[in-house]
Amino acid sequence: MAKCPYIGQIKLIQMETPLIDLESLRPLFAPKTIAIVGASSKPGKIGAAPLSFLQRGGFSGEIYPITRSSTEVAGLKAYSSIADVDGPIDMAIFAVPAPEIPGAFAECAAKGVRSAVMFTSGFAEVGEGGAQQQRQLVEAARSAKLRLLGPNCLGIANYAEGVFASFSPFFSGASRRSGNMALVSQSGAFGGYAAMAAQDQGIAFSYWMTTGNEADVDLADGLAFLAQDPQTRVILAYMEGCRNGPKLCRALEMCRSARKPVVMLKVGRTEIGAAAASSHTASLAGADNIYGAIFAQYDVYRADSIDEWFDVGRAAALGRFPRSNRIALVTASGGVGVFMADEAVSKGLDVEALGEAAQSEIRSLISFAGTRNPIDVTGQATADISLFEKSINAVAASDQYASFVGFHAGVGRSPAAGGRLQAAWANLLSHHPDCVVAVSGASSAELDRSYEQAGCLAFRDPGRAVRAVAALNRFRDSFDRRTARPPANAARQTLPPGVLSETRSLQALKEAGIPVVRHRIVQSAEEAVSAAREFGYPVVLKIVSPDILHKSDIGGVALALGDNAQVDRAFHQIADNARSAAPDARIDGCLVAPMLFGGVETILGVQRDPVFGPMVMFGLGGIFVDVFQDVSFRAAPFDEAEARRMIEETKAATILRGVRGAPPADIAALVRALARLSEFAAAHSDQISSIDINPFVVQAEGKGGCALDAVIVGLSEQPHDRAV
Amino acid sequence: MAKCPYIGQIKLIQMETPLIDLESLRPLFAPKTIAIVGASSKPGKIGAAPLSFLQRGGFSGEIYPITRSSTEVAGLKAYSSIADVDGPIDMAIFAVPAPEIPGAFAECAAKGVRSAVMFTSGFAEVGEGGAQQQRQLVEAARSAKLRLLGPNCLGIANYAEGVFASFSPFFSGASRRSGNMALVSQSGAFGGYAAMAAQDQGIAFSYWMTTGNEADVDLADGLAFLAQDPQTRVILAYMEGCRNGPKLCRALEMCRSARKPVVMLKVGRTEIGAAAASSHTASLAGADNIYGAIFAQYDVYRADSIDEWFDVGRAAALGRFPRSNRIALVTASGGVGVFMADEAVSKGLDVEALGEAAQSEIRSLISFAGTRNPIDVTGQATADISLFEKSINAVAASDQYASFVGFHAGVGRSPAAGGRLQAAWANLLSHHPDCVVAVSGASSAELDRSYEQAGCLAFRDPGRAVRAVAALNRFRDSFDRRTARPPANAARQTLPPGVLSETRSLQALKEAGIPVVRHRIVQSAEEAVSAAREFGYPVVLKIVSPDILHKSDIGGVALALGDNAQVDRAFHQIADNARSAAPDARIDGCLVAPMLFGGVETILGVQRDPVFGPMVMFGLGGIFVDVFQDVSFRAAPFDEAEARRMIEETKAATILRGVRGAPPADIAALVRALARLSEFAAAHSDQISSIDINPFVVQAEGKGGCALDAVIVGLSEQPHDRAV
């Protein structure tokens, strides 16, 4: 509950193994026997809350209160020590102050308790002393094969089995109804608030979990467990940061393969937002980009607002995903129809025109109806509801659409008309069970509920209805995607630490399957001329030295050399410039390469992220990166389909397709280069700190592309964070 | 209620006078005597609704039912004709079918009725026949000085005076409580829905108005009247399109001067959205940009969603506007604090760090509090509410902030703690009456209401709370802005119709005060050389002909000419090229100008919009416009402050401030040029169709800037739409 334990500490914390052991998590999510260490029957005591929640929640397993101050708590036999309990214990809830934790925890470990929920604060979140104690707990937990949730968390709830292992006051008055949406939050305070806000909206959870300090069990464990949980259809996640990127990625992949949408609320979008919560500004600056890339890569839906988070969650909990992007908008207001069409189009939906036959049918019912799509049934249909029903039927019978959003204005709330409208939509679903229906307009909580019981989504705001349906389309697209693994036959190279020279860098990339410009390293003007004649004029000459990074600045580059004499002169000039600017530099020679014209200059890069490992960057050169931040990232490795999505995320894609009369560029060649680069980066993630290919020139379609310049920086020491 | 009468028809309809006659609108907004033409006491009849609403709404003036079928309606004496009524009539409500309208309307005109509300449909929205009838109505209304609302509208309501001149079923069960938010909607169906949705949120209106076909009274009239209405603090507007741009602008300016925020929901954002509702796609394509520019220029807040529309309206209805952008975020959850900081920063608020003294004070209360800002009071303060209160007090006492957003998680809803929190915020407001407080978290309708009674804003979603406060800051910034008028001394030039040559265009712009490149038009190679020597080398040469638009394509341009011989050769070459490519072209000569290097190439343009008149465009050259759509627009004329806002709206501003080592550009010179261009365009709006200055090169700071090339296209005929 105290300070966010993630913000700003990411670089300080070593990664752990990414292995997710689902079996070991079961006693935490579905315990049959629960001990409460520090149990109490005094209302207001932290140890009283979970006991009362478990009893009221209908938990049918054994509860063992552990306390020295009584032999009976809330009608149950109490034990002075966990060692006194007969039989196995799946979960121990710790509701004692920090100083009592080590002793009690050791008893648990000795007893063979399989999981622990620890509310207690005063660990890593308060400084190094607490962090030290927390590490000791983790060690003890690991050696006892006990999974630890917390410390400094608000616990976990399994609604179907009445497990309310929490002290959040929310659960004292909460509904116990179980649903098929799960919530995993790193923040306890937010988790409690979200549970309350969800209940206000009539949302029921399968599981609710807060992970606190994540000493052992973390958000990724929660996601992975819920991915295989049959009750859970969608997971709402709240996240502040992540310490083990590969583990998170693995969990997200498990969710995607299980067709379980993850709807994410990730805070710290802005640098100042992150800084505001932390004094460790620098360590997080820009990192939110990387989270955004991971979410894109694993098809996590990142909500911009809490409303959207719930809306999309509620939509996905229906378990229906439209088979296509084609959406019909049926509206009681022409203007709202346009508003919905705006939303639909900007979210990538296809507001396809209704077929002519169906349009005539509706026009024959309602003279001035808008029939193209949106279908505006006008005031005539709100006055005579049978026209509204018939219009819905006509649109459905066209069989063109996979989803339908209705806007009923105020009609839906009138008892007679509202019921008939609902029946019309329910009838549509019964004939088209693979379709999605969302209705909007003035409503009431009961009306919303009855729509949802009929399998429809109900919203007040028509825009929110359209956005939720758009999210379902995105999930459908994502379910069949798989994350690439580095190819088994990826040739392993041995790369030195530190900055590699341009030729060495180009060589390594070429071996990795990335096209590079033809080039030769020469030691004399004669060799330079001979290489130039072989390549054909014009050529470029560049100094090659591991000690000279900014070649142009010292006069180490000559461009557009048109004949033998120019090459000869340039070679001597460059050699002179290098000698006088950097007399001690090791010179490998001069690089000769053909000078290329035309094409689109792009930048391909790799940057080792401390959390997620090698991240591949793509963007256009120059101010496009600086001013427009028109770049995209992905974690390596990825396949060509993912490379294409990565390009499509940027405006560069428009430029590559050809603007202002330029021919389309060879996007396929760029896609291949990005995928190969990602495989190379993944296969050498223990050796590479960064790669900068600038520019990678993409020629016209069919003409390929190649790296003109590249710098690889090798890792100076073995990474501590390598986990895969 | 039927089809949107705006979409796609903009170019087809002539503009009317933009004069806004407030006095003539008073009988419509605040009638003392109302006749109902077609009155009925039969429930379900359109003529029964307004009568029953007026009676139940407590309207204290005279009501005259007009009907031939009875001598008494709902307890009131009925008249068979409006001519039979004694005394003046402020408003006539028409609830009769279209065929009966002309006769009844003529009687009203003869009687001297001052306003009419016409629900009847079947006019301009159904085609040319209806449009013709509508024009006749308008003529009759104009000559009788009768203001007409509708036809095809849902009417108007004045809550304070019980005027419910509508047939929307909503008013049968609606609350009559009057508030200080007004709603003006072009769509009746949307207006009815919005009234219902507002009531569900506890929002009360001063006025509610739907404008339907806008034969006479339009949205702009509504805005203008409400601008000077003392009860109304904020106006929610719903808009599909506008036929009289200058009138709308004038109304918006009246709202701004009266410090009445306008919150706008404008549909038709996307081309496909607009197309979906209309077959007249082309006429609207891109027009939404222009509306966006007008909204920016007049500080209209354009809401992206219906939720935001209400949120911002509700916030502005408080009537408090924070004196600065500095915001304090006080939160029961660290993570939500970060989330709020993200929102605040991205909306331009200043999440300034709390002073050291106040930080220490809070730390002394709550050991692990986040004290910088957001102020995270942690679980300690949710358990001991006095700590929450003291933290609020400490933050307020710092006197640093003009607005405060609190996030209470679930605490606010607990009866004891909730009441104390509310008292703490109310106490803050009593000591800092010029501040704004918004709270968020789990709540209830009653709790929200009691917060609003205490002068605080209450939201569930913390992000929405922050966005609403950010909107108040934008309004505060806007209140003191004024729209520029063209300077009285603007020199009027006489411009020919059609395409002006480059020299003529440059000349006109120079006279208007826009710097243009030095240039001379020459007729011979000798003159060319002499001009070049005077300017200094290098120079450029271009053919000048009204008949040759694409000079480069025919070899009519020579760049970077370095000496006399090159100029001589180029002159002859260009003349030959022109002769062979366009033997019949009229040739004015050749233009000689110095060749400029460096600087930032921008495009300044003017395009005559059929609704809003001359619109000035600014953007960077090349693909920035095509791919990034990085342009901004404003209606001419505007002042230098507005020109600066216009530049700041684009990413070009970042480039002009200097990126990648480039020096900052002379933005002040660019600002002057834009303002002069806007004055020139406004002063010649009856003569100019378009202006394209491409490029306008902005040199380094202090070095100015100038137009290198320009084309003015004069209007071929007098515009029909000129209205100012």
Side-chain angles (χ1 to χ4, degrees), chain A residues 382 385 408-421 442-443 447, chain B residues 169 196:
Chain A
T382 57
I385 211 72
H408 299 166
V411 193
R413 201 146 67 177
S414 101
R420 285 176 63 183
L421 275 179
S443 182
L447 200 56
Chain B
M196 208 175 281

Side-chain angles (χ1 to χ4, degrees), chain A residues 1-4 7 122 125-126 170 187 189-190 192-193 196-197 200 238 240 265-278 303-308 332-339 341-343 345-346 351 368-370 372-374 376 378-380 382 407 409-411 413 440-443 460-464 467 620-624 626-630 651-652 654-655 659-660, chain B residues 1-4 7 122 125-126 170 187 189-190 192-193 196-197 200 238 240 265-278 303-308 332-339 341-343 345-346 351 368-370 372-374 376 378-380 382 407 409-411 413 440-443 460-464 467 620-624 626-630 651-652 654-655 659-660:
Chain A
M1 292 265 282
K3 287 206 280 189
C4 324
I7 305 295
E125 80 279 11
V126 303
F170 164 71
S187 156
F190 182 82
Y193 159 69
M196 208 174 282
D200 286 350
Y238 166 93
E240 296 173 3
L265 196 69
K266 154 81 175 64
V267 300
R269 259 190 302 132
T270 61
E271 289 183 30
I272 297 177
S278 164
D304 287 333
S305 69
I306 298 175
D307 282 338
E308 188 186 16
S333 151
V336 172
V338 179
F339 179 75
D342 284 341
E343 287 290 337
V345 168
S346 61
V351 187
F368 302 117
R372 197 177 180 281
N373 190 15
D376 173 10
T378 80
Q380 221 181 311
T382 57
F407 174 72
V411 193
R413 201 146 67 177
S440 60
S443 182
R460 309 294 162 93
D461 183 323
R464 285 168 65 173
R467 283 195 292 278
L620 286 186
I623 60 167
F624 297 99
D626 293 359
V627 176
F628 292 92
Q629 274 116 41
D630 185 39
K651 298 263 176 141
T654 310
I655 293 169
V659 285
R660 297 168 74 87
Chain B
M1 293 264 282
K3 285 207 280 189
C4 322
I7 303 296
E125 80 280 11
V126 303
F170 164 71
S187 155
F190 182 82
Y193 158 69
M196 208 175 281
D200 287 349
Y238 166 94
E240 296 172 3
L265 197 67
K266 155 80 176 65
V267 300
R269 260 191 301 131
T270 60
E271 290 183 31
I272 296 175
S278 163
D304 288 332
S305 69
I306 297 175
D307 282 337
E308 188 185 18
S333 150
V336 172
V338 179
F339 179 74
D342 284 341
E343 287 290 337
V345 167
S346 61
V351 187
F368 302 117
R372 197 179 180 280
N373 190 16
D376 173 11
T378 80
Q380 222 180 313
T382 56
F407 175 71
V411 193
R413 198 145 68 176
S440 60
S443 183
R460 309 295 162 94
D461 182 323
R464 284 168 67 173
R467 282 195 293 278
L620 286 186
I623 58 167
F624 296 99
D626 294 358
V627 177
F628 292 94
Q629 273 114 43
D630 185 39
K651 298 262 173 138
T654 310
I655 292 168
V659 285
R660 298 171 71 92

Side-chain angles (χ1 to χ4, degrees), chain A residues 161-207:
Chain A
E161 299 184 15
V163 178
F164 295 96
S166 175
F167 71 99
S168 168
F170 164 71
F171 289 105
S172 64
S175 151
R176 268 83 176 118
R177 190 164 64 94
S178 102
N180 40 35
M181 194 186 305
L183 186 147
V184 192
S185 169
Q186 289 184 328
S187 156
F190 182 82
Y193 159 69
M196 208 174 282
Q199 187 170 309
D200 286 350
Q201 296 182 49
I203 292 172
F205 289 125
S206 55
Y207 291 88

Side-chain angles (χ1 to χ4, degrees), chain A residues 380-653:
Chain A
Q380 221 181 311
T382 57
D384 174 359
I385 211 72
S386 74
L387 300 176
F388 213 139
E389 294 167 328
K390 287 174 189 159
S391 303
I392 291 172
N393 294 344
V395 176
S398 77
D399 244 346
Q400 288 178 252
Y401 304 102
S403 52
F404 300 79
V405 176
F407 174 72
H408 299 166
V411 193
R413 201 146 67 177
S414 101
R420 285 176 63 183
L421 275 179
Q422 187 175 320
W425 290 117
N427 176 53
L428 185 160
L429 277 180
S430 72
H431 289 90
H432 301 85
D434 55 340
C435 286
V436 170
V437 169
V439 298
S440 60
S443 182
S444 67
E446 309 83 75
L447 200 56
D448 291 351
R449 207 101 64 214
S450 87
Y451 265 106
E452 299 206 340
Q453 274 155 10
C456 303
L457 293 163
F459 294 88
R460 309 294 162 93
D461 183 323
R464 285 168 65 173
V466 171
R467 283 195 292 278
V469 170
L472 298 183
N473 278 279
R474 276 181 45 180
F475 290 131
R476 177 211 59 228
D477 285 342
S478 76
F479 288 147
D480 297 321
R481 272 199 276 272
R482 291 289 169 269
T483 305
R485 305 255 158 248
N489 59 357
R492 258 302 267 193
Q493 305 180 35
T494 304
L495 303 167
V499 178
L500 273 66
S501 73
E502 183 175 346
T503 38
R504 186 70 191 80
S505 298
L506 287 174
Q507 187 56 36
L509 293 172
K510 189 177 172 191
E511 281 181 37
I514 296 155
V516 303
V517 69
R518 285 190 299 156
H519 61 277
R520 181 168 311 151
I521 188 143
V522 298
Q523 306 298 340
S524 67
E526 294 69 38
E527 280 178 33
V529 168
S530 141
R533 294 178 61 161
E534 185 188 327
F535 294 145
Y537 285 103
V539 297
V540 299
L541 245 65
K542 304 188 218 174
I543 192 81
V544 178
S545 159
D547 302 319
I548 301 174
L549 271 187
H550 301 287
K551 300 183 279 271
S552 305
D553 296 356
I554 64 133
V557 178
L559 302 174
L561 305 171
D563 58 30
N564 297 358
Q566 287 182 9
V567 168
D568 183 89
R569 202 158 53 231
F571 184 90
H572 293 295
Q573 187 64 56
I574 285 176
D576 286 354
N577 291 346
R579 258 193 300 276
S580 59
D584 301 328
R586 292 161 294 172
I587 306 288
D588 295 341
C590 230
L591 180 144
V592 186
M595 173 116 183
L596 299 185
F597 293 95
V600 179
E601 293 205 350
T602 64
I603 302 180
L604 317 188
V606 173
Q607 195 69 43
R608 194 166 211 300
D609 183 83
V611 174
F612 292 98
M615 298 292 301
V616 176
M617 190 208 82
F618 164 72
L620 286 186
I623 60 167
F624 297 99
V625 172
D626 293 359
V627 176
F628 292 92
Q629 274 116 41
D630 185 39
V631 293
S632 57
F633 294 90
R634 286 294 187 278
F638 48 80
D639 60 16
E640 295 184 11
E642 194 67 35
R644 201 170 277 273
R645 288 177 74 210
M646 189 179 175
I647 296 165
E648 287 298 331
E649 250 174 43
T650 68
K651 298 263 176 141

Side-chain angles (χ1 to χ4, degrees), chain A residues 37-76:
Chain A
V37 182
S40 166
S41 55
K42 278 198 205 133
K45 286 274 180 196
I46 281 186
L51 182 49
S52 121
F53 301 160
L54 286 169
Q55 288 185 315
R56 292 190 45 230
F59 175 65
S60 64
E62 291 295 326
I63 306 174
Y64 305 111
I66 313 291
T67 175
R68 287 211 174 77
S69 43
S70 176
T71 55
E72 188 249 280
V73 176
L76 296 173

Side-chain angles (χ1 to χ4, degrees), chain A residues 287-323:
Chain A
D288 193 70
N289 281 349
I290 300 300
Y291 286 101
I294 296 293
F295 297 157
Q297 191 160 1
Y298 289 90
D299 295 297
V300 172
Y301 191 98
R302 184 174 190 173
D304 287 333
S305 69
I306 298 175
D307 282 338
E308 188 186 16
W309 192 60
F310 281 123
D311 283 355
V312 174
R314 210 151 55 82
L318 255 190
R320 292 167 187 266
F321 299 92
R323 67 180 189 280

